[in-house]
């Protein structure tokens, strides 16, 4: 039985500071880049062609107002998405606000009804600024690409793709638990 679903915004909080400070031309320490790159929300998304050095290199280039010199498609997308965040910090904040208020208790109950003998007792939904992927699943963690969060222009709803945020999270956590149920 699932006891909890935790929302992790640690990387987003750090990146909000970075986007704000960099857009205001404040100095951001290189140590900050290493600290951010070692956060769980990034570490879980690392692959052979996108790693800690990729994050550090991209953030350093942005801070120094340099174009990114890389042939790596994931690094380029990461650079481009971070630049986009700094162009309109009001929109960035509109993306963040619904995540800060996210309550997944209703989803927990639905998942417990579907999976009364779930492999995991705790699930974690991590929002992280990624590159190409919309989401990743690692064990009991759902990592959602923050850059895919889209607030509605018309009301308080928030989407990822064409799905409302809660429905999206429920669908991905259901997929996660279905996969683990099949493998048991």
């Amino acid at each position: 039985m699932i006891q909890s679903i935790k929302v992790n915004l640690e990387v987003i909080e750090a990146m909000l500071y970075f986007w704000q400070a960099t857009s205001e031309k404040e100095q951001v320490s290189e140590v900050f880049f290493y600290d951010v790159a070692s956060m769980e929300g990034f570490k879980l998304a690392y692959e052979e062609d996108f790693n800690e050095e990729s994050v550090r290199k991209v953030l350093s280039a942005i801070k120094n107002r340099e174009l990114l010199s890389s042939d790596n498609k994931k690094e380029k997308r990461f650079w481009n998405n971070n630049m986009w965040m700094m162009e309109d910090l009001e929109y960035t904040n509109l993306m963040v606000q619904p995540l800060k208020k996210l309550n997944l208790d209703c989803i927990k109950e639905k998942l417990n009804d579907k999976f009364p003998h779930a492999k995991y007792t705790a699930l974690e939904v991590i929002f992280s600024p990624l590159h190409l992927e919309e989401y990743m699943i690692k064990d009991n963690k759902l990592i959602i690409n923050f850059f895919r969060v889209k607030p509605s222009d018309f009301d308080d709803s928030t989407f990822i793709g064409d799905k409302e945020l809660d429905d999206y999270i429920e669908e991905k956590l259901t997929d996660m638990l279905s996969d683990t149920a099949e493998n048991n």
Side-chain angles (χ1 to χ4, degrees), residues 8 16 27 35 39 65 71 74 79 92 104 138 146 178:
N8 181 332
L16 280 172
Q27 265 312 339
D35 290 346
M39 289 180 166
R65 310 221 179 287
D71 292 332
K74 290 180 180 180
W79 181 87
T92 302
L104 302 177
K138 303 281 173 110
F146 172 73
S178 292

Side-chain angles (χ1 to χ4, degrees), residues 8-15 32-46 52 55 126 128:
N8 181 332
L9 299 174
E10 180 185 47
V11 174
I12 299 305
E13 294 291 346
M15 292 304 293
F32 175 82
F33 302 142
Y34 288 101
D35 290 346
V36 168
S38 69
M39 289 180 166
E40 181 183 35
F42 275 128
K43 285 171 60 171
L44 289 168
Y46 290 153
E52 240 174 288
V55 171
I126 302 170
S128 187

Side-chain angles (χ1 to χ4, degrees), residues 1-2 111-121 177 180-182 184:
M1 177 172 266
I2 300 162
L111 293 174
N112 278 329
D113 288 344
K114 290 181 193 173
F115 304 98
H117 305 291
K119 176 180 178 179
Y120 303 113
T121 58
L177 293 171
T180 60
E182 290 172 11
N184 284 341

Side-chain angles (χ1 to χ4, degrees), residues 2-184:
I2 300 162
Q3 304 292 322
S4 66
I5 303 176
K6 177 185 171 195
V7 177
N8 181 332
L9 299 174
E10 180 185 47
V11 174
I12 299 305
E13 294 291 346
M15 292 304 293
L16 280 172
Y17 162 76
F18 172 74
W19 295 324
Q20 184 74 44
T22 303
S23 69
E24 294 173 0
K25 297 182 171 88
E26 292 179 19
Q27 265 312 339
V28 178
S29 164
E30 287 287 322
V31 173
F32 175 82
F33 302 142
Y34 288 101
D35 290 346
V36 168
S38 69
M39 289 180 166
E40 181 183 35
F42 275 128
K43 285 171 60 171
L44 289 168
Y46 290 153
E47 305 164 330
E48 185 178 323
D49 56 346
F50 187 83
N51 54 37
E52 240 174 288
E53 180 55 22
S54 300
V55 171
R56 191 212 58 76
K57 177 172 54 174
V58 169
L59 296 182
S60 183
I62 291 169
K63 177 194 93 163
N64 294 323
R65 310 221 179 287
E66 302 168 351
L67 290 176
L68 182 67
S69 58
S70 173
D71 292 332
N72 183 315
K73 187 175 181 179
K74 290 180 180 180
E75 289 177 358
K76 286 180 177 180
R77 177 68 62 89
F78 184 64
W79 181 87
N80 189 50
N81 285 337
N82 277 281
M83 295 300 287
W84 168 55
M85 290 295 99
M86 295 184 334
E87 283 177 20
D88 187 353
L89 290 171
E90 268 186 55
Y91 187 77
T92 302
N93 285 323
L94 287 174
M95 293 169 67
V96 172
Q97 290 315 307
L99 305 182
K100 288 184 175 185
K101 298 182 233 172
L102 200 54
N103 181 337
L104 302 177
D105 287 344
C106 182
I107 293 173
K108 180 181 77 172
E109 290 175 21
K110 290 178 185 177
L111 293 174
N112 278 329
D113 288 344
K114 290 181 193 173
F115 304 98
H117 305 291
K119 176 180 178 179
Y120 303 113
T121 58
L123 304 178
E124 189 170 5
V125 177
I126 302 170
F127 288 89
S128 187
L130 302 177
H131 36 74
L132 303 174
E133 284 84 3
E134 187 171 274
Y135 73 97
M136 298 174 163
I137 293 175
K138 303 281 173 110
D139 298 319
N140 66 330
K141 298 170 184 354
L142 169 64
I143 305 106
I144 298 175
N145 188 344
F146 172 73
F147 296 130
R148 301 292 177 97
V149 174
K150 302 288 182 234
S152 172
D153 293 332
F154 308 107
D155 57 25
D156 288 341
S157 30
T158 304
F159 297 87
I160 296 180
D162 60 352
K163 290 198 185 296
E164 253 194 273
L165 184 60
D166 287 354
D167 294 337
Y168 182 88
I169 292 171
E170 181 181 347
E171 177 184 289
K172 299 309 175 200
L173 291 177
T174 298
D175 291 348
M176 172 200 296
L177 293 171
S178 292
D179 288 347
T180 60
E182 290 172 11
N183 294 331
N184 284 341

